[in-house]
Structure formats: C-alpha cells, structure tokens
Amino acid sequence: MASLPPEQLNRALGRGLTAAYLVSGDEPLLVQEACDSIRAAARQDGFSERELHHVGPDFDWNVLLTSVNSLSLFAERKIYELRIANGKIDEAGNKALQHYCERPPEDNLLLIVLPKLSKGAQRSKWYQAIDACGTVVQVWPISPQQLPGWLDKRIKQAGLRADPDTIDLLAARTEGNLLAAVQEIEKLKLLCEDDFISADIVAGAVADSARYDVFSLVDKALHGDARAAVKTLHGLKGEGTDATVVLWALAREIRTLSQIAHGLENGQSFDRIARSSGVWDKRKPLVSRAAKRLRSNQLQLLLRKANSVDKTIKGLRSGDAWDELMDLVLNLSGTFSLSAPVQKLSLTLD
C-alpha cells in the first residue's frame, strides 16, 4: 500500500489497527506526534504494555523474536517499539522482520521509528514485508511555503485566531523548527485576549524587556528620521532581536506603502486604499506622509532589497544581514542618494 501522510493517520487508526507501523522522517515533532497517536489508539484497543528497544549495530534480533513468541499465564497485549537512529537494518534484522510479518501475533503490535528512508531501503524485503502487513507513515518536512498554513491550522487547534500578518511573523521566527513553533503557540495562548493573537503580542514575546522595538523602528523610518531609525536598529541588534523579526516589520510596511502608491497612481483616494490595506486611523497621517515621499518605483526597489535580505538571513547568499537591514532602513527613511557605507558613516558620526 502507499505510504500514509501524518494528517491521515488518525482517520486510519479510527478504522482499526494494523499489525505493524513504520514511522519514518526527519521532522522530530511530527514523528513524535504520529507515534503518540499510534500508542494512544493501541491503548484504547487493550495494548497495556510497551517494550522499547534502541536498535544499534550490536542489537540481538533473536531477543526480540523470543520476547514476541513467548507466552505467559498473564499475557497482556503489548507494543514492541523499535527505535533505529541510524536507519540501518542488517541482514539479521531483515530476516527477523520478515519472519514477524509472515504471521504477526494477534496480541502484539510492532512500531518501528526511523529517520527518512532511502530509496534502497524502501526496496528492501523487510520494508516490503512491513508495508504488506502494516502501515507506513512517511513524514515529510514542512516547506517555507507550507509553514503559514500549517501554523494557521495549529493555532485553530489550540482554540486561537490570528491574522495573516501575525502568522507570517510567527513563521519567520520559527521557520525550520516546528517544535519551537508549537511552544510559541502555547506561550502566546497565555498572553492573548479573546483568543486572538495579534502581531503586537508576537513581537512583544520576542523580547519583553527590549528597550527598542520593531514598530518604533518602522515609525521612525516612515517619519523620515533616518538618524533615530538607525539608532533604534542598533538597539534591536544589541538586544539580540532576531533579524527575521526586523525584516518582517519593514517588509510588511513596504508592501503596504507599495499598495497605497499604486492605488494613488490609479486615482484612488488615500482613505479608501489605507482602509483596504489595514492601516489604522491613528497611523494614517504617518503613512500618508511616507506615501507622498516615496515613489512606486522606489518602493518596488525596496521590496527587491527586502527579498535579498531574506536570502542573506537564510544563508542563500553571502553578506551581513544587519548591514543590509541598515541599507533598507535608510532607504525607507528617504536616504537614497549616498552609498550604504557612506550613509552609515554619516549617520553614526555626530
């Protein structure tokens, strides 16, 4: 049978247990949750004992087979869990697993947990035997494009709500670490009101004691106060703020300004565009001044620069992310005429 994605596992478990389960993947949180679901379903079905084996090069597969085939006057339904950290099964293991799957005992359930399997491993006889008598759960990593949707689903499962900007910020902070994302959601659950997670709450949770904050940085840049914006950026860096959070705040504002600039060029009123872009009434004067100061082509350039900073932060291109953020802040503040090094020198010298 085809391998089962984790999101379909609970439905399959609801239809009944199979004799064996193989959970494979390199995403620890999703692997652990899949195993938890299998164990929970097995307990509900009367499997009251669990025998755990960590399989290494010296593992004696005969010990497993002897335990599986031994009978007791007080026999209990038992889960045999094999954790194979290196993902390798030798010839003895190959034969033992085939033997087990030929006639799996009714009172036993086999759970095998491994890292991502190679194509060669999936062609092995032991894998085919497990696939024939049981269920294979293949855990794939969550891609950056999938992460916002995954976070939105987890937030809803926690009984919370969040807007797309907040989810994007949370994704930027936790990309590549789903366990950290789940922990953040649990923490935010204690901080939010009316079950709604706002961007302010997420940004504040980054560093509650920070003397500088990303929203102050954005406002100073929009105001055209380059010197104050640079000072705030230095403060954020010194406080240990994640560069992805700073970039998120700047990029969000640049996208909003770009939408407004495009609308104004097409004859729409500022109030109408600002309202559709989610600009709060108290920020309209600040955003309006920035929209008059920055042209559409300049904002498109800033969006391209923000994309470059994102690649630098992720290690996809060489460079210093904080130097590039400095350039982005200066440009958003209206300083385009000088090169970035000269800009930084002129602003740091008083």
Side-chain angles (χ1 to χ4, degrees), residues 167-225:
I167 292 172
D168 286 345
L169 175 55
L170 191 58
R173 286 203 59 215
T174 61
E175 184 175 339
N177 190 337
L178 301 188
L179 180 59
V182 171
Q183 291 172 340
E184 286 288 342
I185 292 171
E186 288 301 312
K187 181 172 68 175
L188 293 168
K189 193 172 183 178
L190 302 175
L191 299 175
C192 66
E193 297 180 1
D194 300 325
D195 297 329
F196 180 75
I197 305 174
S198 68
D200 288 1
I201 292 175
V202 174
V206 174
D208 292 334
S209 60
R211 290 181 293 111
Y212 301 90
D213 65 84
V214 291
F215 296 112
S216 173
L217 167 69
V218 170
D219 285 353
K220 289 169 183 174
L222 291 182
H223 189 66
D225 191 344

Side-chain angles (χ1 to χ4, degrees), residues 141-149 171 175-176 314:
I142 302 297
S143 70
Q145 293 75 23
Q146 295 171 322
L147 186 56
E175 184 175 339
K314 293 176 179 176

Side-chain angles (χ1 to χ4, degrees), residues 253-314:
E253 205 66 39
I254 293 168
R255 284 195 297 270
T256 298
L257 285 171
S258 181
Q259 292 171 1
I260 291 173
H262 181 73
L264 291 173
E265 290 174 357
N266 284 278
Q268 298 181 42
S269 69
F270 172 79
D271 285 339
R272 180 179 179 182
I273 310 169
R275 185 168 55 254
S276 64
S277 300
V279 178
W280 303 334
D281 287 342
K282 67 178 181 180
R283 298 192 75 246
K284 282 182 179 180
L286 182 64
V287 173
S288 177
R289 287 195 297 270
K292 292 177 181 177
R293 175 168 49 82
L294 295 165
R295 298 193 179 103
S296 182
N297 62 333
Q298 291 174 318
L299 291 166
Q300 288 301 313
L301 173 63
L302 294 188
L303 285 175
R304 290 197 294 272
K305 285 188 175 183
N307 184 56
S308 295
V309 179
D310 181 58
K311 291 180 179 178
T312 301
I313 291 173
K314 293 176 179 176

Side-chain angles (χ1 to χ4, degrees), residues 8 79 89 130 201 229 238 240 243:
Q8 296 179 15
I79 302 171
I89 295 178
I130 295 290
I201 292 175

Side-chain angles (χ1 to χ4, degrees), residues 63-168:
V63 172
L64 174 67
L65 291 178
T66 300
S67 178
V68 167
N69 293 320
S70 64
L71 296 176
S72 167
L73 292 176
F74 306 100
E76 299 285 348
R77 307 190 81 186
K78 182 184 291 188
I79 302 171
Y80 289 89
E81 184 169 336
L82 307 181
R83 291 189 168 268
I84 310 174
N86 62 8
K88 297 179 180 179
I89 295 178
D90 59 18
E91 184 58 29
N94 186 15
K95 292 179 179 179
L97 291 177
Q98 289 183 70
H99 178 75
Y100 178 92
C101 292
E102 285 174 1
R103 295 183 66 183
E106 293 182 3
D107 291 334
N108 294 334
L109 184 147
L110 182 63
L111 171 58
I112 304 175
V113 187
L114 319 94
K116 178 183 176 181
L117 291 174
S118 65
K119 292 292 184 182
Q122 294 178 41
R123 290 192 293 267
S124 66
K125 291 182 178 180
W126 68 262
Y127 179 92
Q128 294 172 15
I130 295 290
D131 192 29
C133 81
T135 301
V136 174
V137 181
Q138 179 64 60
V139 175
W140 295 102
I142 302 297
S143 70
Q145 293 75 23
Q146 295 171 322
L147 186 56
W150 185 87
L151 286 171
D152 185 37
K153 184 177 180 180
R154 298 298 293 230
I155 288 170
K156 289 175 180 175
Q157 287 175 352
L160 304 174
R161 297 172 295 115
D163 59 33
D165 280 338
T166 301
I167 292 172
D168 286 345

